[in-house]
Structures are given as C-alpha cells and as structure tokens.
C-alpha cells in the first residue's frame, strides 16, 4: 500500500487548544429529531488499553459534538474515527490507513497506546474542515492539511489532501505516550518521514517526498546547519527558526538512517539513554560509528542531492 501527501504539524495550535479547553465546550446544542450517527465497532478489543464501556461512554460524548447525520463513527483502537464522507469510505480509511499505520508504528517503535481515547476527525474537504474546526473546536487552522490538538484530544484532518498527513499526525500522540521528552527534531523527523510511506519487508517505510527540493536548495546555498545544532534546538527554535529546513533536515536524517537499516536502532538507543543524552546527538554519533561529523554532513548532503532522480521517478508515478 502507498500513502501520499503533505503536511505541517501545528504545534502552535496544539498549544493554543490546550489553553482553550476549559473555555470552549464545542457544539453541544440539542440535536434535531431523527438525528442518528452510524457506529462501527471492531470485532474485538483484544490488545486495546480501553474497555468496551470506555468506548461506549466516549461515543456518547462524541455524538454530542457531531453536528449532522452526515457523520459516521468507526472505533479503531486506540482511536475513534469520525468523518463526513460516506460511511463505507470512513470505514475504509480507518482500516486501510489508520489500522495499518498504528499496527506498523507499534511494531517498530511504540509499545504504549496514548493515555486517552483520541478522536480522528476526517473532514471531507477544505470547506468542511475549516467550518467544523471552528464550529466544534473553536479553531482556525493554520494549515490546510490537518493537525494534532493535544487539548482537544483529537487529530483534525482535511482528508481530501490525502492520507499521508494523517500518518504524520498519528506519530505525534504515540511519541507523546512513549517518549514524552522526545525533542521536536525527532518527533517531526519521524512524523514527516511517514507522511509518504508504504510497507517494505513487513515494516513501515518512508519514501522521498516533496520536502526534498527545498532541502536540496538549502544544501546548495550552504544554509543547512550542523546536526549538533539541529538536535540541540528546543521546540521554540525548531518551530520558529527556518522551520521548513528543520523539518526537511530531520526527515532526511531519519530517511538516511532508515536506508542504512539504523533508524529503529537509533530510536531505541536514544529512548534508552535519553537521561544522559536528551538531544539524541550522542546516540546519533554512536549508531553512525562515531564518524567525523563535518565529514559525515558532507557525505549526507551528497546523498540527499543524489535523491533527486528517485524523487522525480516517484512523483511521476
Ligand atoms: Zn508533525
């Protein structure tokens, strides 16, 4: 399977929503007569951290926020998916993209589910996305694709832009649950790696994507910082300063590690040693075999510049 796309995670929105949560209660006005929402439950909740009773209560609360009968609900642990495309399409997205991505991400990285049941809102187009982000969450999205809101415990997506953004955003609550002190560079590096992904040898695998040309330009202009600098950035520095290059450099560092068979090893080592290596830089040096990092950066830049043909072939398909 192949998922294609684009995305920007709006950390700003996630934080903004956290501060809104006690003030804004969503669209909870009484429903018109005949209002009903189709609900699809999984065959089994085996392996889920949440019980049937917890999902039942969650769905009751969720229905209060749903504005029209055009929406349907699919329980896909640990998420509840809700969308306003035809019910079969919502079901198919839950199965083909969400269930698949959750299974594959858990297989390689994430033993723990998020602490709460999270909703994934799949709005059918830009108009629905913008309207409902405002109506249900009191949000004004800063991205046309979708975002994860920690405050609303929800992924809020314009699904007409493709499933890749959705996989990107699914990474964030799993990082939060499994690696709460994960620095932004790796959180976004992994998220954006999988915004264009498929399956190889039974594992999730990121492919080259639209972030490549901008990074290649930055490499040619000599504006890509050292990996020591990138990994040392705090959230403010990562999201504010040259954000596009930070995302792309992180993504293609993860991509490079993946292609060398080192990405999962790096993640696990960094996770285990985070107390003494909070940025991940020491673990990066270690999995790379302690190279001279100036020389490594030059090699990595040459490697990234050489990915142009693969990008051309992939986007031509
Ligand atoms: Zn993101």
């Amino acid at each position: 399977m192949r998922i294609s796309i684009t995305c920007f995670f709006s950390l700003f929105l996630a934080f903004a929503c956290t501060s809104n949560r006690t003030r804004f209660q969503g669209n909870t006005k009484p429903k018109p007569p005949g209002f009903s929402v189709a609900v699809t439950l999984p065959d089994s909740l085996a392996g889920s951290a949440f019980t049937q009773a917890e999902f039942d209560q969650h769905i009751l609360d969720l229905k209060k926020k749903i504005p029209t009968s055009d929406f349907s609900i699919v329980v896909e642990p640990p998420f509840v998916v809700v969308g306003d495309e035809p019910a079969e399409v919502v079901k198919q997205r839950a199965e083909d993209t969400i269930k698949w991505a959750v299974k594959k991400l858990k297989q390689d990285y994430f033993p723990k589910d998020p602490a709460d049941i999270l909703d994934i809102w799949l709005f059918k187009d830009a108009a629905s996305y913008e309207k409902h982000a405002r109506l249900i969450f009191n949000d004004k999205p800063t991205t046309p694709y979708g975002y994860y809101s920690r405050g609303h415990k929800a992924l809020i997506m314009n699904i007409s832009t493709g499933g890749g953004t959705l996989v990107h955003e699914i990474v964030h609550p799993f990082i939060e649950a499994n690696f709460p002190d994960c620095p932004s560079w790796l959180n976004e590096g992994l998220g954006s790696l999988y915004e264009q992904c498929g399956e190889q040898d039974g594992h999730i695998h990121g492919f080259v994507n639209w972030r490549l040309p901008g990074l290649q330009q930055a490499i040619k202009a000599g504006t890509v910082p050292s990996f020591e600098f990138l990994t040392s950035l705090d959230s403010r520095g990562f999201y504010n300063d040259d954000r596009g290059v930070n995302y792309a450099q992180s993504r293609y560092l993860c991509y490079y590690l993946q292609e060398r068979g080192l990405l999962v090893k790096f993640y696990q080592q960094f996770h285990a040693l985070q107390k003494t290596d909070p940025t991940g830089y020491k673990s990066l040096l270690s999995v790379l075999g302690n190279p001279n990092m100036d020389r490594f950066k030059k090699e990595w830049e040459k490697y990234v510049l050489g990915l142009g043909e693969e990008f051309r072939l992939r986007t031509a398909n």
Side-chain angles (χ1 to χ4, degrees):
M1 85 179 285
R2 179 122 326 150
I3 295 164
S4 57
I5 56 17
T6 32
C7 146
F8 293 100
F9 170 53
S10 170
L11 190 77
F12 166 76
L13 260 174
F15 287 152
C17 294
T18 303
S19 64
N20 277 345
R21 90 183 119 173
T22 51
R23 285 187 281 120
F24 186 74
Q25 299 301 318
N27 176 50
T28 55
K29 64 186 176 192
K31 303 301 182 210
F35 179 88
S36 73
V37 173
V39 178
T40 304
L41 300 170
D43 296 334
S44 154
L45 286 177
S48 166
F50 306 107
T51 64
Q52 184 67 56
E54 286 170 323
F55 277 113
D56 289 345
Q57 184 58 51
H58 186 90
I59 289 167
L60 274 180
D61 295 338
L62 179 60
K63 282 180 174 173
K64 292 176 194 159
K65 297 181 197 164
I66 292 176
T68 74
S69 302
D70 295 336
F71 285 82
S72 60
I73 292 173
V74 181
V75 175
E76 189 56 70
F79 300 107
V80 171
V81 186
V82 50
D84 60 351
E85 294 175 295
E88 323 80 74
V89 178
V90 178
K91 237 159 112 175
Q92 191 151 14
R93 292 198 191 278
E95 176 87 18
D96 293 353
T97 304
I98 298 166
K99 185 176 186 177
W100 174 83
V102 166
K103 184 174 165 199
K104 294 297 164 188
L105 288 168
K106 287 174 80 161
Q107 177 186 342
D108 281 349
Y109 301 103
F110 306 129
K112 283 190 215 160
D113 276 347
D116 298 296
I117 297 173
L118 301 176
D119 299 319
I120 299 182
W121 291 80
L122 303 178
F123 297 113
K124 65 183 176 185
D125 55 27
S128 170
Y129 166 68
E130 281 161 28
K131 175 184 161 186
H132 291 113
R134 190 178 64 247
L135 184 73
I136 301 170
F137 302 107
N138 205 22
D139 281 350
K140 190 171 185 336
T142 58
T143 154
Y145 308 111
Y147 56 96
Y148 166 49
S149 166
R150 194 179 299 146
H152 294 309
K153 297 182 182 172
L155 281 68
I156 298 159
M157 313 301 307
N158 170 6
I159 199 59
S160 71
T161 61
T165 305
L166 177 54
V167 180
H168 176 138
E169 302 306 334
I170 285 172
V171 169
H172 293 316
F174 275 100
I175 287 274
E176 205 172 283
N178 289 273
F179 195 168
D181 293 325
C182 182
S184 301
W185 78 264
L186 182 59
N187 195 2
E188 296 301 351
L190 275 182
S192 58
L193 177 64
Y194 296 129
E195 70 202 1
Q196 179 105 24
C197 68
E199 191 166 322
Q200 269 190 15
D201 304 323
H203 293 265
I204 191 166
H205 194 95
F207 298 108
V208 290
N209 77 340
W210 62 275
R211 293 190 197 266
L212 183 67
L215 179 60
Q216 290 177 327
Q217 259 179 15
I219 289 171
K220 286 177 190 160
T223 56
V224 175
S226 71
F227 287 109
E228 187 167 20
F229 179 83
L230 175 76
T231 56
S232 74
L233 288 172
D234 61 13
S235 291
R236 186 176 294 272
F238 184 90
Y239 290 109
N240 289 351
D241 305 339
D242 216 352
R243 165 192 176 113
V245 171
N246 293 339
Y247 270 73
Q249 186 183 4
S250 302
R251 182 185 202 270
Y252 285 93
L253 175 59
C254 288
Y255 181 84
Y256 175 91
L257 293 171
Q258 170 191 265
E259 295 302 294
R260 296 288 181 274
L262 296 172
L263 181 57
V264 175
K265 182 182 172 190
F266 166 72
Y267 176 88
Q268 287 168 351
Q269 183 169 326
F270 178 18
H271 183 266
L273 300 177
Q274 56 180 292
K275 290 262 185 313
T276 52
D277 177 26
T279 68
Y281 188 63
K282 286 184 197 161
S283 290
L284 178 64
L285 286 173
S286 166
V287 298
L288 290 173
N290 295 302
N292 173 307
M293 283 304 276
D294 289 337
R295 200 173 306 143
F296 169 75
K297 182 165 174 266
K298 286 197 179 77
E299 284 168 20
W300 172 84
E301 288 181 342
K302 197 171 155 202
Y303 171 81
V304 171
L305 291 174
L307 292 172
E309 179 64 7
E310 198 178 331
F311 178 62
R312 195 185 63 72
L313 289 171
R314 192 160 290 283
T315 50
N317 286 337

